[in-house]
Amino acid sequence: MEQYRIRRVRAALLALTAAGGLLLTGCSASGDGANGSSYDGGNKGGGYAPAPEGEQQGSSPDSPDSDSRDVAPEPDYLSTFALDVDTASYGYARRTLAEGSLPDPSTVRPEEFVNSFRQDYDRPDGNGFTVTVDGARTDKDDWSLVRVGLATRAAEDGEERPPAALTFVIDISGSMAEPGRLDLAKDSLDTMTDQLRDDDSVAIVTFSDEAERVLPMTRLDGNRDEVHDAIDGLEPTDSTNLGAGVDTGYETAEDGLREGATNRVVLISDALANTGDTDADTILERIASERREHGITLFGVGVGSDYGDQLMEQLADKGDGHTAYVSDEDDARKVFVEQLPRNIDLTARDAKAQVAFDPETVKEFRLVGYDNRRVDDEDFRDDSVDGGEIGPGHTVTALYAVRHKSGTDGHLATASVRWLDPESRTPHEESGQLESEDLDGDLWEAGPRLQVTAVAAYFADTLRSYGAEFSPLPGTPSLGELSERAHDLAESTEDEDVTQLAEAIDQANRHGD
C-alpha cells in the first residue's frame, strides 16, 4: 500500500508539472462560479500537445502503431474537454450511407456516433453526474479501450421542470420542399405541441429570402389551436437567408423572454445559407451574444440530404446548445417528442471533463473525437470558460485508446467532471478511478454496451480515416468484422438502434467494395 501511495505521489507531481501547477484529482470544488466568455476550443487537452523541445517521448512519428498527431506523447497526461450530447453527425452519416455514398470525413464526429446509443451507467438521485470508468483490452498489443461515462439523473414523465419558452425558427426555402424536410418538421411540431405543457410558450419564425414572425410568444394554455394553425400554414418558397432567420428568431425570443423559464431557440433547417448574410462569423456572434446576455440557448435540428453540417454544429456550440439530425418519422419522434422536452430542463451548466492518466502505467493515449470541444487543461476549474449544458436523462461517453507500459499494473486513470449548479451556479465535481486490473478482459467478451460503444467508435474512426487528416485507431477491425460484431450485438441486446448501426456498417462495406 505504501509503495502504491509513493508511486501515486510521483505520478501526480509529474502531471502537475506538465499542467503548470493544476490540481489533477480530488472532488473539492473551487472557483467563484462566475460565467463569462465562451471557450475558444483550446487544443491542449485532448492528447495533441507536442513533446518538449529537443525531446521526443512516447511514440515517434514513424511508429506503425499510431499517428503522431493523434496520440499524446509524454509528459502531457491530461485530457480536457467540454461535454457534448450532439448526435447529428451520426444521423447524417446514416442518411448519406442509405443513399449510396460515404459521408464526407469532415462531417464525421466520433463522439456523436458514440453518444447516439443507450448506456448502462448508474445515475445520480439529484442534479449532477455519476462517473463510470471502465474498459477492456484490444487485440492490439498493449492497447486497451477506456470508457469514461457520465450520467445525469433519469428524466421522469410528469416530473416538475421550469416552463419552456421555445422559439421555432423554421427554414421554408425552396430546398425544404424535398420530401422528408418541411413536411416532416410540420408533422413533428404538431405532435410536440400536443406534448408540451399548458404553462409552456411557443413562438414561430420562418425564413426564406426574408424572415417573418408568424406567431409571437404564445402560452399553450387555451391557444394550442392557434399554434397548430400557424404550423399547418407553413409552405416552402424561395432562397435561404439563414442570417435573417437567426436574427429575427433571437429578437422574437428576446421579446418573449420569460424569467424562470428555459428560453430556447429551435432552428430547423438544412443550414445551406445562400442569400443575405451568409458569413458564419457574423451569425455566430449574434448567437453567442444572446446566450451571454439573456441565457437564450439553441437547439439545432438538421434535415435534408444536402445539409450544412459544420455550420449547424458551430451555431449550436456558440449557442450553448445541441444538434440532432432528422431523416424519417422515427428520428423526428426521438428529437421532438423525447429529446427536446428533455432538454428543457437543465441539471448542469458549463460542464467539463478532465481525465488524468498515470504516467507510471500509461505510455500514450488518444481521445476518440471531441476535436471541437477541447479545453486547455488549466481551464478545467476556470468557471468563466464555457462548457456544455446538460439536462436530465443524458449520458456522455468519452472513449480513449490507451497504450500501457509493458510489465506495469496499478492505477491507470482518474476521470473528473466539473459543472455549475443550474440555479445557484455553485461549482461541483465528481471523480472516478480505473485500475489496470479493472479492465474487463478481452474487448469482445466485455459487457454489450461497452462493445456497442467500441463498434460505434471504430466505425466512425474508419469513416473519418478516409480523409487525409486522420488515421484509424490502433487495432481497428475491418468493416466486415465490425458488421459481424454489430449484428451479434443487435441480436443479443434486441436494440433497434444497434440494428440500424449494423445496417449502416453494411452499407459502408458495400460501398467500399
Side-chain angles (χ1 to χ4, degrees):
M1 185 70 184
E2 180 65 16
Q3 181 181 8
Y4 172 74
R5 187 188 66 80
I6 293 172
R7 188 182 62 187
R8 289 294 309 280
V9 170
R10 289 204 309 266
L13 287 173
L14 178 57
L16 281 166
T17 302
L22 176 66
L23 180 64
L24 292 184
T25 59
C27 298
S28 61
S30 62
D32 58 10
N35 184 32
S37 60
S38 62
Y39 90 108
D40 62 2
N43 60 7
K44 183 182 176 187
Y48 287 79
E53 190 170 337
E55 182 181 356
Q56 181 59 48
Q57 297 175 306
S59 67
S60 70
D62 299 326
S63 169
D65 293 337
S66 60
D67 187 306
S68 62
R69 293 166 297 191
D70 296 339
V71 177
E74 298 182 74
D76 185 4
Y77 282 84
L78 287 174
S79 171
T80 310
F81 58 93
L83 301 198
D84 185 11
V85 293
D86 291 354
T87 59
S89 175
Y90 174 64
Y92 185 47
R94 280 183 50 221
R95 168 73 178 261
T96 304
L97 289 164
E99 293 179 345
S101 301
L102 291 172
D104 184 330
S106 68
T107 68
V108 177
R109 293 182 292 278
E111 72 276 13
E112 297 186 24
F113 281 55
V114 167
N115 284 322
S116 295
F117 297 93
R118 182 169 61 85
Q119 296 288 357
D120 52 3
Y121 310 137
D122 291 336
R123 293 185 180 273
D125 294 330
N127 285 349
F129 296 89
T130 55
V131 181
T132 300
V133 193
D134 59 11
R137 303 277 181 171
T138 71
D139 296 335
K140 190 74 171 178
D141 290 342
D142 296 329
W143 285 92
S144 294
L145 289 184
V146 170
R147 180 177 63 163
V148 176
L150 310 173
T152 60
R153 61 177 170 80
E156 303 292 344
D157 292 336
E159 72 174 87
E160 290 188 10
R161 62 161 173 80
L166 306 176
T167 301
F168 290 94
V169 180
I170 305 170
D171 187 345
I172 59 168
S173 61
S175 61
M176 293 293 288
E178 175 190 304
R181 296 194 185 196
L182 185 57
D183 57 337
L184 192 61
K186 290 171 63 175
D187 290 343
S188 303
L189 289 174
D190 273 327
T191 302
M192 189 212 62
T193 297
D194 291 331
Q195 299 286 326
L196 291 173
R197 302 178 183 177
D198 286 346
D199 62 347
D200 294 331
S201 302
V202 169
I204 296 176
V205 170
T206 61
F207 66 94
S208 54
D209 54 339
E210 296 180 349
E212 178 184 0
R213 185 180 301 184
V214 175
L215 183 74
M217 194 63 71
T218 302
R219 280 180 64 102
L220 291 177
D221 185 13
N223 297 304
R224 291 182 195 269
D225 288 343
E226 185 178 353
V227 176
H228 283 301
D229 289 343
I231 294 169
D232 294 343
L234 302 178
E235 297 292 340
T237 56
D238 301 313
S239 302
T240 308
N241 191 337
L242 182 60
V246 168
D247 280 346
T248 304
Y250 273 91
E251 287 173 1
T252 302
E254 187 177 342
D255 290 344
L257 196 71
R258 291 179 59 182
E259 293 294 331
T262 300
N263 295 275
R264 176 156 292 199
V265 169
V266 182
L267 174 62
I268 305 170
S269 176
D270 56 19
L272 300 174
N274 58 20
T275 191
D277 190 353
T278 60
D279 179 61
D281 289 339
T282 303
I283 301 172
L284 291 169
E285 178 52 38
R286 173 60 187 266
I287 287 176
S289 175
E290 292 292 340
R291 189 265 302 168
R292 288 193 298 267
E293 294 178 18
H294 303 291
I296 301 171
T297 57
L298 180 75
F299 184 47
V301 181
V303 295
S305 55
D306 294 321
Y307 168 53
D309 168 79
Q310 293 185 2
L311 177 56
M312 185 68 89
E313 187 212 10
Q314 291 174 335
L315 293 172
D317 284 351
K318 280 289 187 182
D320 263 359
H322 316 301
T323 61
Y325 180 83
V326 168
S327 62
D328 55 31
E329 292 181 1
D330 288 341
D331 289 344
R333 175 164 289 278
K334 287 180 184 178
V335 168
F336 289 100
V337 180
E338 298 175 18
Q339 292 184 17
L340 182 55
R342 184 185 304 165
N343 287 329
I344 289 173
D345 197 5
L346 282 180
T347 60
R349 291 186 182 275
D350 289 321
K352 293 172 288 209
Q354 184 170 86
V355 182
F357 290 96
D358 194 325
E360 292 286 319
T361 56
V362 173
K363 185 173 184 179
E364 54 189 344
F365 67 89
R366 171 177 165 184
L367 172 60
V368 183
Y370 290 94
D371 305 305
N372 298 332
R373 305 294 286 172
R374 306 296 169 90
V375 175
D376 285 347
D377 294 331
E378 60 267 26
D379 288 338
F380 176 60
R381 290 185 175 87
D382 184 345
D383 296 324
S384 68
V385 175
D386 191 31
E389 318 308 304
I390 310 295
H394 282 300
T395 61
V396 179
T397 300
L399 198 68
Y400 289 86
V402 177
R403 190 179 188 183
H404 304 255
K405 287 187 174 179
S406 297
T408 63
D409 56 20
H411 182 253
L412 201 69
T414 298
S416 301
V417 58
R418 182 179 177 87
W419 73 96
L420 303 183
D421 182 272
E423 296 183 3
S424 68
R425 295 189 179 272
T426 302
H428 300 276
E429 288 187 25
E430 288 289 343
S431 295
Q433 310 285 335
L434 181 66
E435 306 294 314
S436 297
E437 55 268 30
D438 293 335
L439 292 172
D440 195 11
D442 180 79
L443 173 62
W444 304 120
E445 296 177 0
R449 290 297 158 186
L450 177 56
Q451 291 190 51
V452 170
T453 300
V455 170
Y458 280 138
F459 180 41
D461 215 62
T462 298
L463 293 176
R464 192 167 63 158
S465 70
Y466 292 129
E469 187 178 353
F470 296 98
S471 61
L473 288 168
T476 298
S478 67
L479 285 176
E481 182 181 344
L482 283 179
S483 172
E484 293 178 7
R485 300 288 186 191
H487 281 288
D488 288 345
L489 287 165
E491 183 177 351
S492 64
T493 62
E494 298 182 344
D495 187 336
E496 180 59 30
D497 290 337
V498 182
T499 300
Q500 292 175 349
L501 173 62
E503 292 169 351
I505 296 172
D506 288 343
Q507 290 159 351
N509 198 22
R510 286 195 295 270
H511 187 82
D513 292 340

